[in-house]
Structure formats: structure tokens, C-alpha cells
Amino acid sequence: MFEKLLVANRGEIAVRVMSACEELGIETVAVYSDADRDAGHVDYADEAYNVGPAPASESYLDGETIIEVANRAGADAIHPGYGFLAENAAFASQVEEAEGISWVGPSSDAMTALGEKTNARRIMQAADVPVVPGTTEPVESAAEVRELGAEFGYPIAIKAEGGGGGRGMKIVRGDDEVEDAFESAKREGEAYFDNDSVYVEKFLEAPKHVEVQILADEHGTVLHLGERDCSLQRRHQKVIEEAPSPALDSRLREAIGNAARRGVREADYTNAGTVEFLVEDGEFYFMEVNTRIQVEHTVSEEVTGIDIVREQLRIAAGEELPYTQDDIEIEGHAMEFRINAENPANGFAPTPGTLSTYDPPGGLGVRIDDAITKGDVIAGDYDSMIAKLIVRAPTRVRCLERSRRALAHFDVGVETTIPFHRLMLDDETFRTGAHTTNYLDETVSDDDLAAAVERWSTAVDDDGATGSGSTNDLVVEVEGQRFDVAVTGDVPRAASGNGGADAGGSATGSTASSTGSTGSGQVTASDAVTAEMQGTVLSVNVSPGDQVAQGEVVCVLEAMKMENDVVAPAAGSVADVAVADGDTVDMGDPLVVLE
Ligand code: MV4
């Protein structure tokens, strides 16, 4: 096994990889940019090296510097995580060629072969894996695209050869749209992937996105760990993923899993990978292979009990997978909620800021993968995902219930996608599992999103109040029952944690305290004015039935050789007078009850 591993990444996935290393007794090396000097992954690592300025292109994407650091640190392996350099075959090849450093991932040859989409389609066809009807060679002209439109029937998709994740994809609904779409797909392919080749597929209007997790070792074992359903996406960004897919029956599940195994075996693929499919009308079609660990690998771990990152490391070190396919059992249900620093009420715009609060949930079936803590600054330099909440339960229905519970206890001091997730947990289409990849973009309205944020925002302002409506929340006790009270008026704030002791503006030297006031100047429930310290009643100024105004003196107490006016904390009527002139009272004794 490796002795020291460099993680060429940041954030939660860097910590995820390092935690697997820790369990395997592998030392860890972090790299970080100037923006990440205090980041969680730097803290977690045994050693850490600065690799450049904040822009990723000058730090996390600088492969040469990262390999230099690996040499300097004496690391014998590099794990790329996801994003950044993870699917860069040229970088993988440089690591393979570096003396004494192993690449934790598939071979650069397999990455190249599958990265070219028509080639990947040919490999799958050779392995008898169904692909979406379309071409397995690039198309050269708009005229050729029109012929394909006639052959498959519109709509069709023109996709960039080097594409993925929705970039470089154009949907065409008729002959007249072909010319522009063809040229624009080529331009995007060139701009994003340095490759202007494009190909054509029949476009499926409302498919499910189902992907199969694969593990393959260098000794010929290829396993699938079941599938994930990632159909809930917004503009090609996954937001909630789950395993198993609610869209598959056991026959389809077995067929899609075996197809994925055949496909990666055909590609001589090793390490962890994901085969993506579209599923529509009980049929599945290969879409692409992701040659990396994915954000949502966690849900497969939760339902199989297999530590996928650990197996990645073992495979890269030349070890054998310790399972056969028959050993893999899918148990229960898991969902992952991406907690992004984004405001769903503002087009999911990023919400950088300081985490005045960060208090994630815990308890049975709840897993948090993150690399942040209270007080951290969320800068705008990188991806907005700040944590993943992964919830596991015996059934999908119980997973929904448990997710509701967990999300209700997730406090984050900036606007996040949490209100969006809570909206989805109330959404009939999502709850029944009927949602397809176009559901969010076509069905969930801006008004629904705004209402969800209004209702469930976790962003905390300086007063410790949540939500946008109130700025002065108080905790009060009324006859022993605790209430959280939203105060909308402009009142002096409670100085201590017992909530509202001074609300209502008592006179200087008051030795009374009160509960039950909203602070808005009006008693809302039965409200005992109590003595704040031991003393003697000098005079009682009110009788039952009297109306008193806020701040009106209800009695006078002598305590510590001083006369103290006890005032009504809020307006109300006197329900009861508990003391008479000359009585001695203890701290906490009721004096007058208002209502
Ligand atoms: C498709 C498709 C329908 N038919 N291809 C989007 C991301 C990229 N990986 C491929 N994508 C799609 N390809 C054909 N032939 C629909 C999508 C698609 C999609 C796929 C998965 C998840 C979300 C999606 C959202 C819109 C479109």
C-alpha cells in the first residue's frame, strides 16, 4: 500500500480522500491556493503546500506544480478527487510517467478512449450495451445532420465529441434549426474541449438519469455497486441524488448493472467509474462514462456498505477487490442533498460570506461530508457546494422522513439550497419518484422557490435571528412553557439568555422580571411580574381589573436599602395581585399577574 498520498483537490472531497487514507495508515499531503490557507482540507492533512494564487488555473489546475510538490513531499500516489484535473488524461499520463508516483484512477489510455464520445459509443456497442440511436462517427456537415433528422425523427441532439455535462449539446427540433445548431455545437466544442467534432443522437424528451457505480481491479474483477438516480437536476447541475433508483424494477436493475460491467470491461477500465444511462419507457441507453470518483458516490456507499475511496486506493496499489458480484447487496435507501452557498430565491446565485453559524445535523442515518466550520469565510473562487448531507434509511419513504428531520436541523449562516431541498421533500412528483431530468427546469416556479426561502431560510443575521421577516427573536417562558417569539417592533434587546428580562423597558433599579411579553408593548398571555431579588413590598399601586400601560409602576419594593419601582413590562389588565404592603418576597415570587 502507498505510504504518502497527495490529494490534488480541496474541500469536502479532499477530506473524504484523506479520511480513507487515515484508515489505511497512509500519510496525506494537501495542496492549497492563496485563498485556501485556512481551509479544512489543509487542516486535515499531515503536510500542506501552497501551489499558487486563488484562480484554479494558477493553482489546482497547475499539474506541473502539483507533480513537483508530490516529488518534494515524497508522495508515492496522487488522488485527483473530482473536477479540476480528475478527468484530464494528459495529467494522468504525466503522473503515470513520474518516477515513483501512482495515479489513483483509471489508466490515461482508458480515460482518452472514453473521453471521446463516439469512441465510447463504439466500445459500448461492441459490448452489446444499448446506446441512444445516433451516429458512432462524427458528422461533417449540416446536410448530413438533416438526413439524420429525417432518419431518426426530430428532435435530435447535436453533441460535442469532447463534451459532457450538457456543455456543447444543442437540441434541434426541425430542419430549419440545423444550420445554426451545427455551427454553435462546433464552436462550443472547440472552445470548451479544443475539439470541434460533433455527432448526432435522437433526443429523448423526458428521460431519467440513472448511473451505475463500477469498481474494477487490475486482476480482472469488474463489479457494479448498483445504480444512482440523478434525475433531479437544475440546468445540468445535480441537486439531489439517491440510491437505488425509484424508476427501476429488479429486471431492469440487473440488466443495467450488467451492461455497465460489460462496457467497462470492454474498455479495459480499472479503478472506480460511473456509467451514465438515460432511461425512458422501460428502456435504457448508454450516455457517457465518468472516469472519476463522483460527488454522489456517497449514496452507493450507504446502500452497499463499501468504502469506494478505500477500494480506489487498494486497486491503484495493485490489490484485488475483496468481493465478488454476489457479495454486493443493496440494503435500504440513501439520498444526498448538495448544500450549496446559493440563494434559490435569486436564481441560485452564489452567496459568499462568513459562516456566522454552521451547525449540521447528526443522529441515526445522517452523514455529513464537509470541510468547513463555523466562522469560515465562503469565498467566491470555487464551486459553491459547501457540504453534502447524506441520509440513509430502511426504505425510500423513511428516507424522505429522515431527510426532512435532518434538513430542519441544518443551520448555516448564509443562504443555501436547504430551503430548496425542503420544498422538494414536500413535492408530490419528487416524493413519488416520477421526476425526470427536465422536471425542475420546466415545472418548479420562481415563486415556489422564493416562498421556500422565505419560509425556511437558515441565514442568520447579527442578532441571531433567522429568516428575513424578523430581527429581534426572543425566547420567553409563559407559565413554564417555552415560546420562541418573533419580535417585529423596535425594542431593547434581551441582554441575557433567559430571554426578555428587560423587554418592555422597566425603570432603572427595577427588581422585577417578567415572562410572556412579546416586547411589542402588549401582554399576549398570562404574565407574572416577579421579584428579581429578595425584598419588602412598600406599596401596591394596582388592583385586579385595572388597565395598566407599559412602564406603569405596579408596586414598589425595598431591596438592598433602595426603593425600586416595579413596572408593567407591557400593557395589559391586572388579573391578580399576589402581595400586600409590608410582605417580604423572595426572588422569583410573583407580585402581580397581567393578562
Ligand atoms: C441527452 C438527453 C436526451 N437525449 N441525450 C445532458 C448532460 C449530458 N451528459 C447529456 N445530457 C442529455 N443528453 C439524448 N440523446 C438529455 C440530456 C439531459 C440531461 C441528462 C441527464 C441529466 C439531466 C439532463 C438535463 C437535460 C438534458
Side-chain angles (χ1 to χ4, degrees):
M1 184 42 71
F2 306 120
E3 287 180 4
K4 193 190 264 195
L5 180 137
L6 180 148
V7 184
N9 216 301
R10 64 183 302 282
E12 67 86 17
I13 192 61
V15 170
R16 170 70 189 86
V17 171
M18 290 177 201
S19 63
C21 290
E22 190 175 5
E23 293 179 18
L24 283 163
I26 304 169
E27 283 182 75
T28 54
V29 180
V31 294
Y32 62 94
S33 73
D34 290 350
D36 274 343
R37 288 201 170 92
D38 299 319
H41 75 284
V42 176
D43 244 19
Y44 198 101
D46 297 314
E47 302 168 34
Y49 296 84
N50 186 315
V51 290
S57 59
E58 298 171 52
S59 49
Y60 295 108
L61 287 168
D62 182 349
E64 217 170 292
T65 299
I66 286 169
I67 291 174
E68 272 171 32
V69 165
N71 281 316
R72 180 175 159 201
D76 53 4
I78 294 180
H79 193 303
Y82 53 70
F84 297 128
L85 294 164
E87 292 191 270
N88 185 323
F91 178 66
S93 166
Q94 282 159 19
V95 175
E96 285 166 351
E97 270 153 39
E99 189 63 32
I101 306 179
S102 296
W103 168 249
V104 182
S107 70
S108 58
D109 286 344
M111 291 169 70
T112 302
L114 293 167
E116 215 172 278
K117 302 304 167 196
T118 56
N119 195 47
R121 282 165 62 81
R122 289 195 296 276
I123 291 170
M124 292 300 149
Q125 281 188 321
D128 214 14
V129 176
V131 302
V132 188
T135 66
T136 44
E137 299 291 339
V139 293
E140 304 295 343
S141 69
E144 202 183 322
V145 175
R146 277 190 292 272
E147 281 169 33
L148 292 162
E151 183 183 340
F152 301 124
Y154 289 106
I156 58 172
I158 305 178
K159 295 186 172 187
E161 178 76 287
R167 288 196 299 177
M169 177 172 92
K170 296 288 151 197
I171 300 161
V172 182
R173 298 191 177 275
D175 279 347
D176 54 325
E177 293 174 15
V178 167
E179 198 78 43
D180 285 354
F182 179 71
E183 293 304 329
S184 128
K186 283 180 94 64
R187 273 198 308 275
E188 285 188 20
E190 179 66 37
Y192 291 134
F193 316 109
D194 243 355
N195 182 349
D196 76 348
S197 284
V198 298
Y199 66 104
V200 166
E201 287 179 2
K202 166 112 188 110
F203 183 72
L204 309 181
E205 294 273 14
K208 290 230 159 219
H209 173 124
V210 176
E211 58 184 35
V212 178
Q213 176 68 53
I214 289 289
L215 282 175
D217 68 17
E218 290 165 1
H219 308 272
T221 298
V222 179
L223 304 176
H224 77 79
L225 304 190
E227 82 287 354
R228 299 184 283 261
D229 194 311
C230 311
S231 299
L232 204 73
Q233 304 203 3
R234 184 183 172 277
R235 304 201 180 154
H236 301 302
Q237 298 296 311
K238 294 168 184 166
V239 286
I240 302 175
E241 305 97 338
E242 61 183 300
S245 168
L248 302 190
D249 57 24
S250 57
R251 183 195 64 83
L252 208 51
R253 174 164 296 122
E254 173 146 353
I256 204 168
N258 286 329
R261 289 173 78 195
R262 288 197 305 276
V264 300
R265 194 184 281 286
E266 184 76 26
D268 277 332
Y269 191 93
T270 55
N271 216 279
T274 299
V275 187
E276 292 187 350
F277 295 91
L278 297 175
V279 175
E280 194 174 73
D281 301 328
E283 304 283 335
F284 63 88
Y285 308 93
F286 167 76
M287 192 162 52
E288 51 194 68
V289 178
N290 296 320
T291 59
R292 61 172 191 275
I293 187 81
Q294 288 191 279
V295 175
E296 63 271 24
H297 74 278
T298 57
V299 292
S300 301
E301 292 183 327
E302 294 300 318
V303 297
T304 60
I306 293 174
D307 179 338
I308 296 172
V309 178
R310 178 188 180 91
E311 297 309 331
Q312 283 194 289
L313 296 165
R314 293 183 64 260
I315 291 167
E319 296 180 18
E320 286 181 44
L321 279 164
Y323 317 97
T324 67
Q325 188 64 54
D326 284 345
D327 296 329
I328 313 296
E329 280 178 54
I330 308 298
E331 210 181 301
H333 202 92
M335 287 187 178
E336 175 180 273
F337 301 87
R338 297 190 188 200
I339 311 301
N340 298 347
E342 295 172 359
N343 187 353
N346 182 24
F348 289 81
T351 53
T354 302
L355 291 179
S356 55
T357 301
Y358 181 72
D359 193 6
L364 183 61
V366 174
R367 163 178 172 184
I368 302 287
D369 279 20
D370 63 12
I372 52 168
T373 187
K374 183 178 154 115
D376 281 2
V377 176
I378 307 300
D381 298 293
Y382 310 106
D383 192 274
S384 59
M385 192 179 76
I386 56 173
K388 308 190 299 205
L389 165 66
I390 304 105
V391 178
R392 174 170 44 90
T395 65
R396 189 170 189 271
V397 167
R398 288 194 52 196
C399 193
L400 292 166
E401 291 167 354
R402 186 165 283 169
S403 299
R404 269 190 176 147
R405 182 266 289 178
L407 283 160
H409 293 276
F410 206 142
D411 294 333
V412 188
V414 296
E415 295 292 355
T416 67
T417 42
I418 289 170
F420 166 82
H421 294 313
R422 296 182 72 177
L423 181 68
M424 286 301 105
L425 289 175
D426 281 354
D427 182 279
E428 252 332 278
T429 305
F430 178 69
R431 290 181 66 83
T432 57
H435 57 288
T436 54
T437 50
N438 51 339
Y439 177 66
L440 276 190
D441 290 329
E442 290 177 11
T443 314
V444 178
S445 75
D446 288 351
D447 285 352
D448 292 344
L449 292 169
V453 172
E454 178 69 22
R455 182 168 172 199
W456 288 310
S457 170
T458 65
V460 176
D461 66 26
D462 291 345
D463 300 324
T466 59
S468 48
S470 65
T471 56
N472 291 295
D473 286 6
L474 293 176
V475 178
V476 300
E477 266 179 26
V478 180
E479 290 179 341
Q481 183 178 0
R482 188 180 167 98
F483 292 88
D484 292 319
V485 182
V487 182
T488 52
D490 183 20
V491 294
R493 199 164 299 123
S496 62
N498 68 347
D502 292 336
S506 54
T508 310
S510 167
T511 50
S513 81
S514 143
T515 60
S517 164
T518 63
S520 62
Q522 182 64 48
V523 172
T524 53
S526 181
D527 180 14
V529 182
T530 56
E532 263 198 348
M533 56 182 70
Q534 197 235 326
T536 308
V537 177
L538 288 182
S539 71
V540 176
N541 304 15
V542 293
S543 314
D546 287 358
Q547 293 296 315
V548 295
Q550 182 179 340
E552 192 174 323
V553 177
V554 293
C555 67
V556 180
L557 269 187
E558 187 197 75
M560 293 163 63
K561 299 194 164 61
M562 281 175 56
E563 290 186 15
N564 300 279
D565 290 343
V566 176
V567 301
S573 79
V574 177
D576 191 26
V577 175
V579 291
D581 292 3
D583 284 357
T584 56
V585 293
D586 281 322
M587 186 173 77
D589 283 354
L591 305 170
V592 170
V593 178
L594 302 177
E595 61 183 13

Short mmCIF file of all heavy atoms in Angstrom, two decimals, residues 42-87:
data_model
loop_
_atom_site.label_atom_id
_atom_site.label_comp_id
_atom_site.label_asym_id
_atom_site.label_seq_id
_atom_site.Cartn_x
_atom_site.Cartn_y
_atom_site.Cartn_z
N VAL A 42 -6.67 21.60 4.41
CA VAL A 42 -5.28 21.90 4.79
C VAL A 42 -5.05 21.47 6.25
O VAL A 42 -4.05 20.86 6.58
CB VAL A 42 -5.00 23.41 4.61
CG1 VAL A 42 -3.60 23.77 5.09
CG2 VAL A 42 -5.19 23.80 3.15
N ASP A 43 -6.03 21.79 7.07
CA ASP A 43 -6.03 21.39 8.47
C ASP A 43 -5.93 19.88 8.64
O ASP A 43 -5.24 19.37 9.52
CB ASP A 43 -7.38 21.81 9.08
CG ASP A 43 -7.21 22.83 10.16
OD1 ASP A 43 -6.15 23.46 10.20
OD2 ASP A 43 -8.17 22.96 10.96
N TYR A 44 -6.68 19.17 7.80
CA TYR A 44 -6.81 17.72 7.97
C TYR A 44 -5.52 16.99 7.59
O TYR A 44 -5.17 15.97 8.18
CB TYR A 44 -7.97 17.21 7.09
CG TYR A 44 -8.47 15.83 7.49
CD1 TYR A 44 -9.62 15.68 8.24
CD2 TYR A 44 -7.76 14.68 7.13
CE1 TYR A 44 -10.07 14.43 8.63
CE2 TYR A 44 -8.20 13.41 7.51
CZ TYR A 44 -9.35 13.30 8.26
OH TYR A 44 -9.78 12.06 8.64
N ALA A 45 -4.80 17.53 6.61
CA ALA A 45 -3.63 16.82 6.06
C ALA A 45 -2.46 16.80 7.03
O ALA A 45 -2.34 17.65 7.90
CB ALA A 45 -3.21 17.48 4.75
N ASP A 46 -1.59 15.81 6.83
CA ASP A 46 -0.36 15.76 7.61
C ASP A 46 0.62 16.85 7.19
O ASP A 46 1.37 17.38 8.01
CB ASP A 46 0.30 14.39 7.47
CG ASP A 46 -0.58 13.27 8.01
OD1 ASP A 46 -1.11 13.44 9.13
OD2 ASP A 46 -0.76 12.26 7.32
N GLU A 47 0.65 17.15 5.90
CA GLU A 47 1.52 18.22 5.36
C GLU A 47 0.71 18.98 4.33
O GLU A 47 -0.19 18.42 3.71
CB GLU A 47 2.72 17.65 4.59
CG GLU A 47 3.62 16.75 5.35
CD GLU A 47 4.61 16.03 4.39
OE1 GLU A 47 5.02 16.66 3.39
OE2 GLU A 47 4.93 14.88 4.67
N ALA A 48 1.10 20.24 4.09
CA ALA A 48 0.37 21.03 3.10
C ALA A 48 1.32 21.98 2.38
O ALA A 48 2.25 22.51 2.98
CB ALA A 48 -0.75 21.81 3.77
N TYR A 49 1.07 22.17 1.08
CA TYR A 49 1.94 23.00 0.24
C TYR A 49 1.11 23.98 -0.57
O TYR A 49 0.10 23.59 -1.17
CB TYR A 49 2.75 22.12 -0.72
CG TYR A 49 3.70 21.19 0.01
CD1 TYR A 49 3.24 19.97 0.52
CD2 TYR A 49 5.03 21.54 0.21
CE1 TYR A 49 4.09 19.11 1.20
CE2 TYR A 49 5.90 20.68 0.89
CZ TYR A 49 5.42 19.47 1.38
OH TYR A 49 6.27 18.63 2.06
N ASN A 50 1.57 25.23 -0.61
CA ASN A 50 0.92 26.25 -1.42
C ASN A 50 1.30 26.03 -2.88
O ASN A 50 2.48 25.89 -3.20
CB ASN A 50 1.39 27.64 -0.95
CG ASN A 50 0.65 28.77 -1.65
OD1 ASN A 50 0.48 28.74 -2.87
ND2 ASN A 50 0.23 29.76 -0.89
N VAL A 51 0.28 25.97 -3.75
CA VAL A 51 0.56 25.76 -5.17
C VAL A 51 0.16 26.95 -6.03
O VAL A 51 0.12 26.82 -7.26
CB VAL A 51 -0.10 24.46 -5.71
CG1 VAL A 51 0.59 23.24 -5.14
CG2 VAL A 51 -1.60 24.44 -5.44
N GLY A 52 -0.13 28.10 -5.42
CA GLY A 52 -0.36 29.28 -6.25
C GLY A 52 -1.53 30.13 -5.85
O GLY A 52 -2.18 29.89 -4.84
N PRO A 53 -1.81 31.16 -6.65
CA PRO A 53 -2.89 32.11 -6.36
C PRO A 53 -4.28 31.50 -6.44
O PRO A 53 -4.44 30.37 -6.90
CB PRO A 53 -2.73 33.19 -7.44
CG PRO A 53 -1.43 32.92 -8.11
CD PRO A 53 -1.08 31.49 -7.87
N ALA A 54 -5.27 32.29 -6.02
CA ALA A 54 -6.64 31.80 -5.91
C ALA A 54 -7.21 31.22 -7.20
O ALA A 54 -7.84 30.15 -7.16
CB ALA A 54 -7.55 32.91 -5.38
N PRO A 55 -7.02 31.84 -8.36
CA PRO A 55 -7.66 31.26 -9.56
C PRO A 55 -7.19 29.81 -9.78
O PRO A 55 -5.99 29.53 -9.76
CB PRO A 55 -7.18 32.17 -10.69
CG PRO A 55 -6.84 33.46 -10.02
CD PRO A 55 -6.30 33.09 -8.67
N ALA A 56 -8.14 28.92 -9.99
CA ALA A 56 -7.81 27.50 -10.11
C ALA A 56 -6.81 27.25 -11.23
O ALA A 56 -5.93 26.38 -11.12
CB ALA A 56 -9.09 26.69 -10.35
N SER A 57 -6.90 28.04 -12.29
CA SER A 57 -6.00 27.84 -13.43
C SER A 57 -4.55 28.05 -13.03
O SER A 57 -3.64 27.53 -13.67
CB SER A 57 -6.37 28.79 -14.56
OG SER A 57 -6.27 30.13 -14.10
N GLU A 58 -4.33 28.78 -11.92
CA GLU A 58 -2.96 29.05 -11.48
C GLU A 58 -2.58 28.24 -10.24
O GLU A 58 -1.51 28.44 -9.67
CB GLU A 58 -2.80 30.55 -11.17
CG GLU A 58 -3.02 31.45 -12.37
CD GLU A 58 -3.07 32.92 -11.99
OE1 GLU A 58 -2.14 33.39 -11.31
OE2 GLU A 58 -4.06 33.58 -12.35
N SER A 59 -3.46 27.35 -9.80
CA SER A 59 -3.15 26.56 -8.59
C SER A 59 -3.63 25.11 -8.75
O SER A 59 -2.84 24.25 -9.17
CB SER A 59 -3.77 27.22 -7.36
OG SER A 59 -5.14 27.55 -7.58
N TYR A 60 -4.92 24.87 -8.49
CA TYR A 60 -5.42 23.49 -8.50
C TYR A 60 -5.39 22.85 -9.89
O TYR A 60 -5.50 21.64 -10.02
CB TYR A 60 -6.83 23.43 -7.93
CG TYR A 60 -6.87 23.81 -6.46
CD1 TYR A 60 -7.43 25.02 -6.05
CD2 TYR A 60 -6.33 22.97 -5.50
CE1 TYR A 60 -7.45 25.38 -4.70
CE2 TYR A 60 -6.35 23.32 -4.15
CZ TYR A 60 -6.91 24.53 -3.76
OH TYR A 60 -6.92 24.87 -2.44
N LEU A 61 -5.26 23.67 -10.94
CA LEU A 61 -5.18 23.11 -12.29
C LEU A 61 -3.75 23.10 -12.83
O LEU A 61 -3.52 22.72 -13.97
CB LEU A 61 -6.10 23.91 -13.24
CG LEU A 61 -7.59 23.68 -13.06
CD1 LEU A 61 -8.40 24.72 -13.83
CD2 LEU A 61 -7.98 22.26 -13.53
N ASP A 62 -2.80 23.51 -11.99
CA ASP A 62 -1.41 23.55 -12.43
C ASP A 62 -0.75 22.19 -12.18
O ASP A 62 -0.12 21.96 -11.14
CB ASP A 62 -0.69 24.68 -11.68
CG ASP A 62 0.76 24.82 -12.12
OD1 ASP A 62 1.28 23.93 -12.83
OD2 ASP A 62 1.39 25.82 -11.73
N GLY A 63 -0.92 21.30 -13.13
CA GLY A 63 -0.45 19.92 -12.98
C GLY A 63 1.04 19.81 -12.75
O GLY A 63 1.50 18.98 -11.95
N GLU A 64 1.79 20.64 -13.42
CA GLU A 64 3.25 20.57 -13.30
C GLU A 64 3.69 20.86 -11.86
O GLU A 64 4.48 20.13 -11.27
CB GLU A 64 3.86 21.60 -14.24
CG GLU A 64 5.13 21.14 -14.92
CD GLU A 64 5.53 22.13 -16.01
OE1 GLU A 64 4.80 22.21 -17.03
OE2 GLU A 64 6.52 22.84 -15.81
N THR A 65 3.14 21.96 -11.31
CA THR A 65 3.48 22.33 -9.93
C THR A 65 3.04 21.23 -8.96
O THR A 65 3.75 20.90 -8.00
CB THR A 65 2.81 23.67 -9.56
OG1 THR A 65 3.29 24.67 -10.45
CG2 THR A 65 3.10 24.06 -8.13
N ILE A 66 1.88 20.64 -9.23
CA ILE A 66 1.37 19.62 -8.30
C ILE A 66 2.29 18.39 -8.31
O ILE A 66 2.59 17.81 -7.26
CB ILE A 66 -0.09 19.28 -8.66
CG1 ILE A 66 -0.98 20.45 -8.19
CG2 ILE A 66 -0.53 17.97 -8.00
CD1 ILE A 66 -2.41 20.41 -8.69
N ILE A 67 2.79 18.01 -9.49
CA ILE A 67 3.72 16.88 -9.55
C ILE A 67 5.05 17.24 -8.86
O ILE A 67 5.63 16.42 -8.14
CB ILE A 67 3.91 16.41 -11.01
CG1 ILE A 67 2.60 15.78 -11.52
CG2 ILE A 67 5.05 15.38 -11.10
CD1 ILE A 67 2.60 15.40 -12.99
N GLU A 68 5.49 18.48 -9.03
CA GLU A 68 6.70 18.94 -8.32
C GLU A 68 6.53 18.81 -6.81
O GLU A 68 7.44 18.35 -6.11
CB GLU A 68 6.96 20.42 -8.64
CG GLU A 68 7.82 20.64 -9.87
CD GLU A 68 7.85 22.14 -10.25
OE1 GLU A 68 7.79 23.00 -9.33
OE2 GLU A 68 7.90 22.40 -11.45
N VAL A 69 5.37 19.23 -6.33
CA VAL A 69 5.10 19.16 -4.88
C VAL A 69 5.08 17.70 -4.43
O VAL A 69 5.61 17.36 -3.36
CB VAL A 69 3.78 19.87 -4.52
CG1 VAL A 69 3.32 19.49 -3.12
CG2 VAL A 69 3.94 21.38 -4.63
N ALA A 70 4.49 16.83 -5.24
CA ALA A 70 4.45 15.40 -4.88
C ALA A 70 5.87 14.86 -4.73
O ALA A 70 6.18 14.12 -3.78
CB ALA A 70 3.68 14.60 -5.94
N ASN A 71 6.75 15.24 -5.65
CA ASN A 71 8.15 14.82 -5.56
C ASN A 71 8.82 15.39 -4.31
O ASN A 71 9.50 14.68 -3.57
CB ASN A 71 8.91 15.25 -6.82
CG ASN A 71 8.64 14.30 -7.98
OD1 ASN A 71 8.65 13.07 -7.81
ND2 ASN A 71 8.40 14.86 -9.15
N ARG A 72 8.61 16.68 -4.08
CA ARG A 72 9.23 17.35 -2.94
C ARG A 72 8.78 16.71 -1.62
O ARG A 72 9.58 16.53 -0.69
CB ARG A 72 8.84 18.83 -2.98
CG ARG A 72 9.39 19.66 -1.87
CD ARG A 72 9.03 21.12 -2.09
NE ARG A 72 9.11 21.86 -0.84
CZ ARG A 72 8.49 23.01 -0.62
NH1 ARG A 72 7.77 23.57 -1.57
NH2 ARG A 72 8.62 23.61 0.55
N ALA A 73 7.49 16.35 -1.56
CA ALA A 73 6.95 15.78 -0.32
C ALA A 73 7.26 14.29 -0.20
O ALA A 73 7.05 13.69 0.85
CB ALA A 73 5.44 16.00 -0.27
N GLY A 74 7.73 13.69 -1.28
CA GLY A 74 7.97 12.25 -1.25
C GLY A 74 6.69 11.45 -1.30
O GLY A 74 6.62 10.34 -0.76
N ALA A 75 5.67 11.98 -1.97
CA ALA A 75 4.41 11.24 -2.09
C ALA A 75 4.56 10.15 -3.15
O ALA A 75 5.23 10.35 -4.16
CB ALA A 75 3.28 12.19 -2.49
N ASP A 76 3.94 8.99 -2.89
CA ASP A 76 4.03 7.90 -3.87
C ASP A 76 2.70 7.68 -4.60
O ASP A 76 2.55 6.69 -5.32
CB ASP A 76 4.54 6.61 -3.22
CG ASP A 76 3.74 6.20 -1.99
OD1 ASP A 76 2.74 6.88 -1.68
OD2 ASP A 76 4.11 5.21 -1.34
N ALA A 77 1.74 8.59 -4.42
CA ALA A 77 0.47 8.48 -5.16
C ALA A 77 -0.21 9.85 -5.19
O ALA A 77 -0.01 10.68 -4.29
CB ALA A 77 -0.45 7.45 -4.50
N ILE A 78 -1.01 10.07 -6.23
CA ILE A 78 -1.83 11.28 -6.34
C ILE A 78 -3.27 10.87 -6.58
O ILE A 78 -3.56 10.08 -7.48
CB ILE A 78 -1.35 12.19 -7.51
CG1 ILE A 78 0.04 12.74 -7.20
CG2 ILE A 78 -2.34 13.33 -7.75
CD1 ILE A 78 0.62 13.64 -8.30
N HIS A 79 -4.16 11.40 -5.77
CA HIS A 79 -5.60 11.23 -5.98
C HIS A 79 -6.16 12.57 -6.43
O HIS A 79 -5.96 13.57 -5.76
CB HIS A 79 -6.28 10.77 -4.68
CG HIS A 79 -7.69 10.28 -4.89
ND1 HIS A 79 -8.68 11.06 -5.46
CD2 HIS A 79 -8.28 9.08 -4.61
CE1 HIS A 79 -9.81 10.36 -5.51
NE2 HIS A 79 -9.59 9.15 -5.01
N PRO A 80 -6.88 12.59 -7.56
CA PRO A 80 -7.34 13.89 -8.08
C PRO A 80 -8.71 14.34 -7.58
O PRO A 80 -9.14 15.45 -7.91
CB PRO A 80 -7.42 13.63 -9.58
CG PRO A 80 -7.84 12.18 -9.67
CD PRO A 80 -7.18 11.49 -8.49
N GLY A 81 -9.42 13.49 -6.81
CA GLY A 81 -10.80 13.87 -6.44
C GLY A 81 -11.68 13.97 -7.66
O GLY A 81 -11.53 13.18 -8.60
N TYR A 82 -12.64 14.93 -7.63
CA TYR A 82 -13.46 15.19 -8.83
C TYR A 82 -13.23 16.64 -9.26
O TYR A 82 -12.77 17.48 -8.48
CB TYR A 82 -14.93 14.91 -8.56
CG TYR A 82 -15.52 15.60 -7.35
CD1 TYR A 82 -15.71 16.98 -7.33
CD2 TYR A 82 -15.88 14.87 -6.22
CE1 TYR A 82 -16.24 17.61 -6.21
CE2 TYR A 82 -16.41 15.50 -5.10
CZ TYR A 82 -16.60 16.87 -5.11
OH TYR A 82 -17.11 17.49 -4.01
N GLY A 83 -13.59 16.96 -10.49
CA GLY A 83 -13.35 18.31 -11.00
C GLY A 83 -11.86 18.54 -11.22
O GLY A 83 -11.07 17.59 -11.27
N PHE A 84 -11.47 19.80 -11.33
CA PHE A 84 -10.06 20.16 -11.55
C PHE A 84 -9.39 19.20 -12.55
O PHE A 84 -9.83 19.13 -13.70
CB PHE A 84 -9.30 20.24 -10.21
CG PHE A 84 -9.81 21.32 -9.29
CD1 PHE A 84 -10.17 21.05 -7.97
CD2 PHE A 84 -9.98 22.63 -9.75
CE1 PHE A 84 -10.65 22.05 -7.12
CE2 PHE A 84 -10.46 23.64 -8.91
CZ PHE A 84 -10.79 23.35 -7.60
N LEU A 85 -8.36 18.44 -12.11
CA LEU A 85 -7.59 17.62 -13.05
C LEU A 85 -8.10 16.19 -13.17
O LEU A 85 -7.48 15.36 -13.85
CB LEU A 85 -6.12 17.61 -12.60
CG LEU A 85 -5.41 18.97 -12.68
CD1 LEU A 85 -4.13 18.96 -11.85
CD2 LEU A 85 -5.11 19.33 -14.14
N ALA A 86 -9.22 15.89 -12.52
CA ALA A 86 -9.62 14.48 -12.38
C ALA A 86 -9.83 13.77 -13.71
O ALA A 86 -9.55 12.58 -13.82
CB ALA A 86 -10.90 14.40 -11.53
N GLU A 87 -10.35 14.46 -14.73
CA GLU A 87 -10.62 13.76 -15.99
C GLU A 87 -9.70 14.25 -17.10
O GLU A 87 -10.02 14.13 -18.28
CB GLU A 87 -12.10 13.92 -16.35
CG GLU A 87 -12.94 13.15 -15.34
CD GLU A 87 -14.39 13.01 -15.72
OE1 GLU A 87 -15.17 13.90 -15.35
OE2 GLU A 87 -14.73 12.02 -16.38
#
